[in-house]
Amino acid sequence: MKLITGTRIVGTAGICASLALAGCGDGGGGTGQQSQGQVVDGGTFTMALTADPGNLDPQSSAATALFTVTQLGYDTLVSVDSKSGDIRPQLAEKWSAQGTDVTLTLRKGITCADGTPMTARVVSDNLGYVGDPENKSPFLGTFLPAGATATGDDAAGTVTLKLAAPAPFVLNGLASLPMVCPGGMADRTTLARGTSGTGPYTLTEAVPGDHYTYAIREGYDWGPDGATTATPGMPDTVVIRIVENPATAANLLLSGELNAAQVTGPDAERLEKAGLFAARTTAVLGEQWYNQAEGHATADPAVRMALTQALDLAELRTVLSAGKGTPPTTLAAIEPVACPGGQLGDALPAHDAAAATEALKKIAGRPLVFAYPTNVGSAGTAAAELAIQQWKAAGIEVTAKPQSADVMNQTLFGTGDWDIAWAPINVNSPDQLVPFLSGPTVPDGTNFAGIGNSEYDAAVKQASAVDGVAGCASWLAAETALVKAADVVPFANQQVPTFGVKARFETPGQLIPTSIRMLDR
């Protein structure tokens, strides 16, 4: 099981999911002098990722790196308008969602890269695979409600989804769930280093740890809002390079060896000064978790509260974001945010060094393990070091464990060798976070921190019984309950930029391949 920490489900621990992965503060558009070139057809678009996607099976992980490359080869049933939040067509041309009944009608003429048609039966098989707990897809309960069953009618071209209980944002979830073609469904081992989808690109070369190359598909015309690969300016080839160090990625952008890379901190400042185009994604950048499993000092609510009070979260926010961060508002922060208007910054426990020092005496001499991601660059390292200093001032010994995105996921969902972790999870609707904030713990579920907050659970139950945004007040109350209790500590939001050279694109939570336009300068 893997975490969603990255753009779309962005963040910086390597997810996106999505996580989910993985929203753009400016609707996915961008600014910068170099966005003014003329569109040129074809060419190669080279983008950097800070982590290797690993197994390329698109339903196996919600890590940001995988979620990013998944967009190239696979489609979802519907899409979400990055500005209005409205559900838009993609594989499905129309749909209805009433209570526990969801029906989607597929577009005609959709084909897989190998020429096989994408049918209603294949879609229902996809939903059945993700919905089977034995397959351990992280999308179960996140993008597909647990207990949902699907049937496909090829003659009518319809997929019927029966929910076990009302799911107010079920279509938002389906907008993030990639569909696999028959060949990949029949032999999922082929998905590890190949693609079997209906997307605009197909994988032609995979060199793990180095690069992945994708070739454009001719005849693709069922992208979001009817996007097509026949549009002038789309690259013939997309190369994804693994570049873990943000400073290195910034240098490669400036030298023209990269067309796109997500960069934050001081390196982002020099790219902005150079006038590069940037598409910006609003995301949770800093988010702290505590291991509440039995045997950890952080299983004690009083310890979690004291460790939070020991930190000057505003100062950490400034350091982590190089002065560009803002207080958190909602836990689901990717735009378009399904339930905007939260004020989680006001719910954070106040900095109180004296109270923290007194409360933490009970665990004095008991070292804590602090895991944090390495792909945030120098700003992330500086913020982690500052946190360690503040805990030390409160009398606590903390062992730092900086980790790559892959190792971080293994730590949180495998070894459990951590007490405190920085792992931002980014999604756009609050229901997608429920499996991470409640319910079964790892290895049986995705509640990696072992959170059990009755006030959160009660508010979620109330919110889930109401359709869509009508339940937002309860969803926001649920998130506030977690933050007040220091079960999760979001301390920094930021407009995370993806810089571009000789290209422009949109990144509403994740790069949209059909939005890429190659430029002459």
Side-chain angles (χ1 to χ4, degrees):
M1 192 67 67
K2 293 196 176 182
L3 181 61
I4 298 179
T5 80
T7 40
R8 184 150 190 106
I9 339 175
V10 122
T12 47
I15 303 184
C16 177
S18 182
L19 9 325
L21 353 127
C24 292
D26 54 4
T31 58
Q33 299 171 3
Q34 294 195 24
S35 63
Q36 305 304 314
Q38 298 298 310
V39 170
V40 294
D41 210 14
T44 298
F45 176 81
T46 304
M47 180 177 179
L49 288 183
T50 58
D52 188 271
N55 182 347
L56 298 181
D57 183 333
Q59 295 168 353
S60 67
S61 166
T64 296
L66 177 59
F67 215 90
T68 297
V69 299
T70 290
Q71 313 307 304
L72 296 165
Y74 298 88
D75 289 314
T76 56
L77 289 167
V78 293
S79 59
V80 180
D81 186 279
S82 62
K83 295 180 180 178
S84 68
D86 293 339
I87 303 298
R88 300 293 191 195
Q90 193 156 349
L91 294 181
E93 62 181 0
K94 59 182 179 180
W95 51 86
S96 66
Q98 297 290 333
T100 57
D101 296 312
V102 181
T103 302
L104 304 106
T105 302
L106 299 186
R107 294 184 183 185
K108 295 180 180 179
I110 296 174
T111 60
C112 301
D114 62 3
T116 306
M118 174 58 81
T119 67
R121 185 74 60 84
V122 176
V123 170
S124 66
D125 287 345
N126 271 265
L127 297 174
Y129 176 86
V130 173
D132 186 346
E134 291 189 3
N135 294 323
K136 299 186 182 299
S137 173
F139 298 149
L140 176 58
T142 304
F143 298 145
L144 179 68
T149 58
T151 55
D153 184 336
D154 286 347
T158 58
V159 179
T160 302
L161 189 62
K162 185 69 175 180
L163 307 179
F169 298 105
V170 60
L171 293 174
N172 295 69
L174 294 178
S176 294
L177 182 59
M179 294 290 110
V180 176
C181 283
M185 291 296 293
D187 183 1
R188 297 196 76 95
T189 63
T190 64
L191 301 176
R193 290 292 175 261
T195 48
S196 181
T198 62
Y201 289 87
T202 56
L203 183 68
T204 59
E205 184 181 35
V207 183
D210 190 79
H211 73 275
Y212 297 82
T213 303
Y214 292 79
I216 199 168
R217 285 187 61 189
E218 294 184 2
Y220 177 93
D221 62 1
W222 49 81
D225 287 331
T228 169
T229 53
T231 303
M234 282 198 66
D236 290 338
T237 305
V238 174
V239 177
I240 303 295
R241 288 182 57 180
I242 311 306
V243 183
E244 295 184 359
N245 190 296
T248 302
N251 292 337
L252 292 173
L253 281 168
L254 293 172
S255 68
E257 295 177 65
L258 288 178
N259 297 106
Q262 186 182 106
V263 180
T264 58
D267 295 300
E269 293 181 357
R270 59 189 178 105
L271 295 178
E272 289 171 351
K273 290 179 181 178
L276 269 62
F277 163 83
R280 301 182 186 278
T281 296
T282 300
V284 177
L285 184 66
E287 192 164 53
Q288 183 165 291
W289 304 78
Y290 299 106
N291 193 336
Q292 300 187 28
E294 185 178 355
H296 291 263
T298 44
D300 184 341
V303 169
R304 297 196 297 272
M305 180 61 69
L307 288 169
T308 307
Q309 292 175 317
L311 297 176
D312 186 333
L313 297 175
E315 187 177 11
L316 288 179
R317 179 186 312 129
T318 298
V319 174
L320 179 63
S321 66
K324 297 183 181 297
T326 57
T329 55
T330 57
L331 294 182
I334 295 291
E335 295 184 359
V337 177
C339 286
Q343 298 294 329
L344 292 184
D346 296 339
L348 287 169
H351 177 47
D352 190 336
T357 300
E358 180 63 28
L360 290 172
K361 287 180 179 178
K362 65 167 72 176
I363 62 167
R366 184 174 179 179
L368 303 180
V369 175
F370 172 37
Y372 65 91
T374 57
N375 60 351
V376 216
S378 59
T381 301
E385 291 175 348
L386 176 60
I388 292 170
Q389 291 173 7
Q390 293 178 351
W391 283 318
K392 184 177 180 179
I396 295 300
E397 180 185 346
V398 174
T399 301
K401 285 201 172 182
Q403 301 177 348
S404 68
D406 286 343
V407 174
M408 190 83 169
N409 280 320
Q410 293 168 11
T411 297
L412 297 178
F413 289 94
T415 68
D417 183 20
W418 66 284
D419 296 295
I420 309 167
W422 283 0
I425 299 180
N426 278 283
V427 297
N428 59 20
S429 65
D431 60 319
Q432 295 171 2
L433 286 168
V434 173
F436 296 95
L437 301 170
S438 62
T441 59
V442 294
D444 299 317
T446 54
N447 183 3
F448 64 95
I451 296 173
N453 185 307
S454 59
E455 188 175 349
Y456 173 79
D457 294 341
V460 166
K461 183 177 181 180
Q462 183 175 356
S464 299
V466 182
D467 288 341
V469 297
C472 279
S474 294
W475 284 114
L476 295 177
E479 294 184 353
T480 298
L482 289 171
V483 173
K484 280 186 175 180
D487 281 324
V488 59
V489 185
F491 60 91
N493 281 15
Q494 185 179 349
Q495 292 242 315
V496 179
T498 299
F499 292 95
V501 173
K502 290 188 176 182
R504 68 172 182 261
F505 40 80
E506 297 178 6
T507 58
Q510 196 66 262
L511 174 73
I512 299 177
T514 52
S515 74
I516 302 171
R517 300 292 179 266
M518 302 302 294
L519 307 176
D520 60 1
R521 60 181 176 85

